Amino acid sequence: MEIPQREVLRYLGYRNQKLDQATARLIEECRAEAKALLRTGVVYRVYPIAREGDQIRLPATTLRLASKDLSRHLRHADRCVLLAATLGLALDQRIAAYARLDLTRAVVLDACATAAIEAFCNQVQAQLGAQAAREGYRLTTRYSPGYGDLSIVYQKAILEALQAYTRIGLTVTEDHLLLPRKSVTAFIGLEKGEKNTPEEKAETGGAHDRCRRCPDQTCQFRKGGDGVETQA
Amino acid sequence: MKHKLNFDEFLIFDGAMGTTLQSYGMKAGELAESYNLKRAEVIAGIHRAYIQAGAQILTTNTFSANRFKLAGTGLNQADVICTAVEIARWAAEDRLVALDIGPLGQLMEPYGTLSFNEAYEAFAEQVRLGAAAGADLILIETMSDLYEAKAAILAARENADLPIFCTMTFQEDGRTLTGADPLTVVNTLQSLGVTALGINCSLGPKEILPLVQEMLKYAQVPVIVQPNAGLPQLVEGETVFQITPAEFAAFGRKMAAAGVRILGGCCGTTPEHIKALNNILADVKPVAVKAPRLTAASSGTTTVILGGPVKIVGERLNPTGKRRLQKALRQGDLDYLLREAVDQQDHGAHILDLNVGLPEIDEKAVMVQAIKEIQGVVNLPLQIDSVNPEVIEAAVRIYNGRPIINSVNGEAQSLAAILPIVKKYGCLVVALTLDEQGIPKTAEERLAIAERIVKAAAEHGIPKEDIIVDCLVLTASAQQREVQETVKALRLVKEKLGVKTTLGVSNVSFGLPARNLLNRTFLAAALAAGLDAPIMNPLDAEMRGTVDAFNLLWNHDPDGKAFIGTYSALEDKTVAPPVPEQRDLTKIVIAGLKEEAASAVRALLQEEEGLAIVDRYLIPALDRVGEGYEKGELFLPQLIQAAETVKRAFAVIKEDLEKSKTAAVGKGKIVIATVKGDIHDIGKNIVKILLENYGFEVFDLGKDVPIATIVEKVQQEEAPLVGLSALMTTTVKNMEETIKALRHACPQTKIMVGGAVLNAEYAEMIGADFYGKDAREAVKIAERVFQPSHQ
């Protein structure tokens, strides 16, 4: 898996500044270093959805999610993929070491890791999408705890439903942070048939759309606003 | 114990509980342990089915019955565990009941926030309840972090008197999640005194087989294997295991033939799998495998075996005669120590000696902290070097892996204090050939002391393979005649006792010119006499060269590959033309050239005062970089690179100031920390380096810092400003509580906050005085707070 340079730059707050040779070289080194340290793991299952008001329930699990935004995200879906993905501990450990010894490298490697987990999730999603298409389904974008009103308190229950610790070593702290740090949990809706209205098409359009609906208007990583334009 | 374990026959464990419960309608995410209370008959039925299939040991349904997993479920831990043991006992009749203990599901330090002691306490609760309820043995299983396994084993040993089996789970790359290989797992677990060790879960039997074979090469205790019924496959969104009972049993037979004595099943296995396994082993006997005893030290991931190629023990983590390290330790600045550790690792050290003994510091606290931090950054085993047994015990207890203790000697008092620690924690130990009478002059006398130590160790149950003898190097300037006695003693000790050896090589040259020449000549002589692990400076290229050459000449470097790889490249290298010296310090800073900055400052110091350099070059350069960042001309890596460059330049100026006894005038004290629960600290570290560059004295408490620690430090330093960082919405509440506590205890102190989820309004809402949107802003806030008019 390649770590897209463009995304690394975006996470570093790059806005077309002059990229001096040393910094460019550092970024290349870090991309290679991050790639070598990836211990990717993913676990997912497909669940039927039940709805109760603004709650989404996955009857085969103990999950019951109170979230208008998730309900909206999954409103055309009758099933969803529940997914947990991680880059593993090795990268975390290296970033932590650099945070003590070489801060510049820590920051760049951290950005590489952030770009990598997104790229990894995109890769998994593409495979799932192809599989779903064969069965006449299409996928929504990923929706994760922490987006909109979907609380990160649900992380623990999500990991337990997927047995994410024993399968891929993914854990959550008492304060609901995922560890290893570069990890993602997400819901992906499975919708029957083709896309309908232009509005709906836009909604499955990836990060762009997520950013548009996010309340944080000043986020430096915001896409489609003042931030760097990227392909979704 | 009611039943004696008999390893002359195979011991058959039961199979899966969790995956079996799913067929009774257990939901994903539901706690299997809740069935002990609400559906006891289901659990009993599964147990009975395994007994009928031939299992001789039942595993209680308590895998997740720890305080973390039970939190918020409304289940009472004592009820869950006691009931589980009772059900299993009822079903087992006269067979054995193993108290099942799985991982806590939380990552331990340094990866996560769970401390070794917290993990120990959590396991201890389970052990006490299970033992009291009548379990026959303790099964610590599915561990993916060796450090967590160590906490569990110590908890089991210290809170019950039952046999301990411990199994770990491996990934496809042949390592555990936290990176330990099979040798490291075996070396660490068996040194902690488990009855049996092995592998479970993780992979299918086919993938486990080579890992088990590797373990059997080193294991001194019976090996246990409990594979899944194949690799988990995802079929139509469901996890399934696809190996049939017959295939499973066939693998079991292969493992038995390789030397495994205890077998069972993990995820996906059923009573049919166990029955097939039992049948296929009915007509075979366990195979005896003889694994050699090794003298091997381990970190949490890697093992170093003494013998064969020479192993370098890095000597630089020792404050004796090192002023900078002394100062760093006194100030609690462990970054310096970490840098030395990494440097030694990068220069070929295999093991790092760690000594933090200084009269005016709390050696125990610093040692424990240093170990925790070093093992988060380097992968080398450590040699714990202290004269204080209490420090040693605290150190080896929280150490991840199998450490070396430096040292014990022939004095009765030393033997009595150190050997029990060596035994309890399964350490290796350096044995100094000295006693109450000091260091004997002759080789024969030193051998006699070594013999005494080996004998005393044997009385404590410590084999000679766990002892590394140090025949002690004397300085040629004072005791020229005795230098060769050391080499002679070393040879004798190797011949007569067959133990591994170490020496502090550089001692030989104290007080003489051309120390390096003496050191490496002595090193060559000692290596030829059988020295296994010189304690030396790995950064000394000539000493290292001697080791490399020796390895080649003594046939420890097959085909000279390592030697040729290192030295042919060096020979080809022509001398690089000297880089023209860049004199414009401001430009150097902006370009982020760290090395050039140091040499430019040194050059400037010939002509100008250190403080003048700060004012004329460094601060203006920082300002320019900061402005460039604000205007969007520079981006984050460039800003930090420049900040690190300035830091480097400062270090040179500080050294100069200290030499001339001029005290640098700090602009004021600032305490900074990432709040409790939050583990993101890169942003905070950026703030720290910028504040320091602008002349503030920063006390960095790190990440995940308890409220009390922050309050205490602010009070102690009477710091007028505190900087708090939090990245997550959930940890902002801890920030708010920290602010409340600070307001109460130190009403004069100003508080600035920062972090991704914060903004000015939010900062005000939680009661902070200032919001710093980035590190530049933090500097501006600090300058305002410390303005004379403001105070």
Side-chain angles (χ1 to χ4, degrees):
Chain A
M1 188 184 80
E2 285 302 319
I3 300 172
Q5 188 209 34
R6 208 187 152 88
E7 290 295 295
V8 174
L9 285 169
R10 188 169 71 83
Y11 288 120
L12 288 170
Y14 179 71
R15 279 153 212 239
N16 301 312
Q17 289 94 341
K18 183 168 171 283
L19 197 56
D20 63 276
Q21 234 180 21
T23 309
R25 195 170 55 232
L26 175 66
I27 291 170
E28 282 323 291
E29 282 171 15
C30 286
R31 279 173 69 207
E33 190 169 359
K35 194 176 158 181
L37 290 168
L38 295 178
R39 307 280 183 272
T40 51
V42 62
V43 51
Y44 59 85
R45 292 180 77 171
V46 178
Y47 291 113
I49 298 171
R51 283 166 233 275
E52 287 168 26
D54 286 334
Q55 290 198 352
I56 290 278
R57 216 156 51 77
L58 307 183
T61 76
T62 54
L63 279 169
R64 182 186 283 273
L65 307 126
S67 164
K68 283 185 188 169
D69 293 325
L70 180 65
S71 300
R72 184 172 174 281
H73 192 81
L74 297 177
R75 69 187 182 282
H76 299 303
D78 55 3
R79 292 189 299 159
C80 74
V81 178
L82 183 59
L83 164 147
T86 180
L87 301 184
L89 279 173
L91 196 46
D92 271 11
Q93 192 186 9
R94 190 68 63 89
I95 294 169
Y98 283 139
R100 301 291 297 269
L101 303 168
D102 185 343
L103 198 50
T104 314
R105 200 171 272 269
V107 168
V108 177
L109 196 62
D110 190 74
C112 291
T114 307
I117 185 66
E118 280 300 316
F120 179 55
C121 287
N122 289 341
Q123 187 184 311
V124 171
Q125 176 142 12
Q127 288 162 7
L128 289 172
Q131 203 180 318
R134 285 195 293 274
E135 294 162 24
Y137 278 89
R138 58 193 162 88
L139 301 182
T140 68
T141 53
R142 299 189 290 279
Y143 206 89
S144 297
Y147 291 1
D149 68 352
L150 181 61
S151 169
I152 61 172
V153 169
Y154 296 120
Q155 298 286 29
K156 187 179 180 199
I158 292 171
L159 297 189
E160 276 165 8
L162 294 171
Q163 290 179 298
Y165 180 73
T166 37
R167 295 265 179 275
I168 57 171
L170 183 51
T171 70
V172 61
T173 69
E174 286 176 54
D175 292 282
H176 320 294
L177 308 187
L178 293 178
L179 289 178
R181 297 260 298 277
K182 300 302 175 185
S183 303
V184 162
T185 64
F187 295 86
I188 305 171
L190 281 163
E191 300 177 350
K192 195 84 187 159
E194 291 303 308
K195 290 176 196 180
N196 304 321
T197 65
E199 185 212 341
E200 279 177 22
K201 277 186 190 169
E203 285 207 0
T204 50
H208 230 95
D209 178 59
R210 286 205 302 272
C211 286
R212 196 169 55 73
R213 278 187 284 122
C214 177
D216 185 359
Q217 303 286 328
T218 58
C219 172
Q220 60 167 320
F221 305 122
R222 194 176 179 84
K223 297 188 187 189
D226 295 336
V228 186
E229 280 291 329
T230 51
Q231 289 154 351
Chain B
M1 197 174 142
K2 298 177 193 76
H3 323 266
K4 204 169 150 40
L5 291 167
N6 175 13
F7 295 116
D8 296 333
E9 303 288 335
F10 289 112
L11 262 179
I12 306 294
F13 261 91
D14 50 6
M17 175 63 76
T19 45
T20 313
L21 276 174
Q22 278 162 19
S23 63
Y24 285 87
M26 186 178 77
K27 287 182 178 182
E30 207 179 342
L31 212 59
E33 288 71 13
S34 62
Y35 280 64
N36 295 336
L37 304 179
K38 66 181 180 197
R39 302 280 304 275
E41 76 289 354
V42 172
I43 304 297
I46 295 171
H47 282 327
R48 286 302 302 168
Y50 279 121
I51 290 288
Q52 279 151 17
Q56 294 147 12
I57 307 183
L58 286 182
T59 310
T60 60
N61 181 31
T62 52
F63 182 81
S64 296
N66 64 67
R67 59 165 90 158
F68 301 104
K69 295 267 187 70
L70 292 179
T73 61
L75 296 171
N76 175 295
Q77 189 184 34
D79 291 348
V80 168
I81 294 178
C82 294
T83 314
V85 175
E86 279 166 22
I87 301 169
R89 169 59 63 214
W90 171 84
E93 293 172 354
D94 61 342
R95 295 177 189 83
L96 297 167
V97 171
L99 174 69
D100 194 28
I101 296 184
L104 299 171
Q106 303 252 319
L107 280 179
M108 287 178 65
E109 292 173 341
Y111 311 106
T113 53
L114 185 66
S115 76
F116 186 81
N117 290 338
E118 284 172 297
Y120 172 90
E121 284 305 327
F123 286 125
E125 290 169 352
Q126 291 172 265
V127 168
R128 285 192 292 264
L129 289 169
D136 298 312
L137 61 104
I138 295 168
L139 176 66
I140 298 164
E141 60 144 320
T142 324
M143 289 284 156
S144 51
D145 182 354
L146 196 52
Y147 201 31
E148 186 177 359
K150 176 169 176 176
I153 292 167
L154 286 179
R157 274 178 53 183
E158 294 172 1
N159 292 279
D161 187 21
L162 296 174
I164 301 164
F165 290 11
C166 182
T167 56
M168 302 215 38
T169 167
F170 287 75
Q171 295 187 294
E172 277 163 68
D173 62 359
R175 291 176 176 266
T176 67
L177 263 174
T178 52
D181 56 27
L183 167 58
T184 300
V185 167
V186 173
N187 192 46
T188 303
L189 295 185
Q190 72 187 7
S191 75
L192 289 169
V194 297
T195 307
L197 60 82
I199 304 184
N200 79 319
C201 199
S202 47
L203 309 159
K206 181 166 160 239
E207 294 77 14
I208 282 181
L209 188 57
L211 299 173
V212 169
Q213 284 165 334
E214 178 75 4
M215 281 188 153
L216 285 161
K217 281 202 274 185
Y218 309 109
Q220 305 289 328
V221 296
V223 170
I224 167 173
V225 179
Q226 297 175 303
N228 293 338
L231 284 171
Q233 310 276 341
L234 207 67
V235 176
E236 290 171 10
E238 294 296 317
T239 309
V240 293
F241 297 88
Q242 293 180 314
I243 282 198
T244 64
E247 288 169 302
F248 185 80
F251 279 113
R253 178 134 185 173
K254 271 189 199 164
M255 301 213 192
V260 174
R261 282 165 190 263
I262 309 164
L263 296 105
C266 202
C267 303
T269 55
T270 62
E272 283 70 47
H273 289 85
I274 297 304
K275 190 173 177 189
L277 181 66
N278 200 33
N279 288 342
I280 211 167
L281 294 176
D283 60 342
V284 282
K285 287 272 173 198
V287 178
V289 218
K290 189 83 192 119
R293 271 186 193 282
L294 300 174
T295 304
S298 296
S299 68
T301 57
T302 324
T303 296
V304 174
I305 302 171
L306 269 61
V310 177
K311 302 303 178 315
I312 296 172
V313 183
E315 69 180 8
R316 295 177 62 83
L317 305 179
N318 187 329
T320 314
K322 294 199 188 77
R323 278 187 36 219
R324 291 236 12 225
L325 182 54
Q326 289 175 7
K327 193 168 163 234
L329 287 175
R330 278 195 207 104
Q331 292 177 337
D333 169 18
L334 291 181
D335 286 5
Y336 185 80
L337 200 72
L338 289 184
R339 216 171 293 270
E340 286 282 0
V342 170
D343 264 355
Q344 293 187 87
Q345 174 171 261
D346 291 348
H347 285 85
H350 299 95
I351 294 167
L352 300 180
D353 188 85
L354 174 64
N355 183 317
V356 297
L358 278 179
E360 59 275 51
I361 65 168
D362 178 353
E363 189 187 350
K364 188 156 106 181
V366 174
M367 177 65 93
V368 165
Q369 190 61 25
I371 291 173
K372 283 185 180 178
E373 302 222 5
I374 291 171
Q375 63 193 14
V377 170
V378 302
N379 292 326
L380 303 181
L382 297 180
Q383 178 163 297
I384 313 293
D385 185 354
S386 172
V387 292
N388 183 341
E390 229 182 278
V391 173
I392 291 175
E393 175 153 22
V396 299
R397 187 174 178 87
I398 60 96
Y399 178 84
N400 185 11
R402 186 185 193 203
I404 304 173
I405 290 173
N406 189 8
S407 57
V408 70
N409 64 52
E411 291 177 35
Q413 202 187 342
S414 170
L415 293 169
I418 302 297
L419 291 180
I421 302 173
V422 174
K423 175 63 186 169
K424 177 170 180 194
Y425 296 97
C427 310
L428 301 175
V429 66
V430 172
L432 308 182
T433 57
L434 61 81
D435 60 13
E436 288 84 351
Q437 275 75 51
I439 304 175
K441 282 208 158 67
T442 68
E444 289 73 15
E445 289 168 293
R446 291 188 212 176
L447 170 65
I449 295 177
E451 276 173 335
R452 245 171 43 221
I453 298 173
V454 169
K455 192 160 162 274
E459 283 161 13
H460 280 83
I462 301 163
K464 69 175 187 186
E465 288 81 4
D466 293 356
I467 298 171
I468 306 164
V469 172
D470 182 343
C471 293
L472 297 163
V473 177
L474 299 167
T475 61
S477 58
Q479 290 162 284
Q480 192 174 359
R481 193 193 294 264
E482 275 89 54
V483 170
Q484 50 183 318
E485 286 300 309
T486 300
V487 179
K488 204 173 136 196
L490 196 151
R491 188 171 282 128
L492 273 177
V493 159
K494 289 232 72 144
E495 273 174 22
K496 305 278 182 197
L497 298 178
V499 292
K500 300 291 183 266
T501 56
T502 187
L503 278 181
V505 176
S506 349
N507 289 351
V508 80
S509 61
F510 274 123
L512 289 166
R515 288 194 60 181
N516 185 290
L517 174 60
L518 293 167
N519 288 349
R520 64 179 202 265
T521 307
F522 180 73
L523 174 62
L527 290 174
L531 175 60
D532 296 291
I535 305 175
M536 56 177 253
N537 179 6
L539 273 62
D540 183 328
E542 292 183 334
M543 294 276 276
R544 229 174 48 240
T546 302
V547 170
D548 293 338
F550 179 85
N551 280 336
L552 177 111
L553 298 173
W554 256 247
N555 196 29
H556 293 317
D557 178 3
D559 302 327
K561 268 197 188 131
F563 188 87
I564 293 164
T566 309
Y567 293 95
S568 62
L570 281 185
E571 269 184 5
D572 294 345
K573 208 180 266 175
T574 46
V575 182
V579 183
E581 195 169 287
Q582 184 48 288
R583 289 297 295 263
D584 186 340
L585 189 50
T586 313
K587 276 190 187 153
I588 291 174
V589 167
I590 292 165
L593 305 169
K594 291 176 205 165
E595 290 312 310
E596 285 82 343
S599 56
V601 166
R602 274 189 206 104
L604 278 171
L605 278 169
Q606 306 297 319
E607 301 148 25
E608 297 188 49
E609 290 281 307
L611 293 173
I613 297 172
V614 174
D615 290 339
R616 282 194 48 200
Y617 302 95
L618 296 180
I619 297 296
L622 271 177
D623 285 341
R624 267 189 52 195
V625 172
E627 282 158 24
Y629 178 69
E630 277 171 12
K631 285 187 196 146
E633 293 162 9
L634 297 173
F635 75 130
L636 192 60
Q638 295 165 323
L639 174 78
I640 303 166
Q641 190 86 266
E644 288 194 292
T645 307
V646 170
K647 185 179 172 181
R648 192 64 205 279
F650 265 126
V652 176
I653 292 172
K654 266 193 206 155
E655 264 173 46
D656 183 68
L657 288 176
E658 272 163 26
K659 255 185 255 159
S660 61
K661 304 274 183 222
T662 326
V665 186
K667 281 194 197 161
K669 292 177 173 181
I670 306 175
V671 172
I672 64 169
T674 299
V675 299
K676 175 95 195 114
D678 210 319
I679 45 169
H680 301 85
D681 65 350
I682 291 183
K684 180 217 69 196
N685 290 359
I686 298 172
V687 171
K688 173 189 178 183
I689 190 172
L690 272 185
L691 287 173
E692 283 179 339
N693 283 346
Y694 275 91
F696 296 100
E697 193 180 349
V698 181
F699 299 88
D700 177 8
L701 302 180
K703 57 192 174 183
D704 188 26
V705 186
I707 295 172
T709 312
I710 299 176
V711 170
E712 194 183 311
K713 192 69 181 175
V714 173
Q715 284 177 324
Q716 185 193 331
E717 298 297 337
E718 295 177 10
L721 181 62
V722 177
L724 300 176
S725 156
L727 202 89
M728 308 292 293
T729 345
T730 42
T731 50
V732 170
K733 74 171 194 300
N734 296 339
M735 181 181 262
E736 187 174 7
E737 277 160 28
T738 308
I739 293 174
K740 270 194 201 132
L742 280 168
R743 292 288 182 229
H744 183 74
C746 335
Q748 305 299 320
T749 298
K750 297 285 177 198
I751 300 165
M752 64 174 166
V753 298
V757 292
L758 288 166
N759 55 36
E761 297 83 58
Y762 205 176
E764 197 186 328
M765 209 171 80
I766 61 171
D769 296 299
F770 307 100
Y771 164 66
K773 76 173 166 55
D774 56 24
R776 272 284 286 169
E777 191 65 32
V779 171
K780 289 182 187 170
I781 292 166
E783 305 248 287
R784 249 185 294 153
V785 169
F786 287 96
Q787 256 171 24
S789 61
H790 202 288
Q791 287 183 321

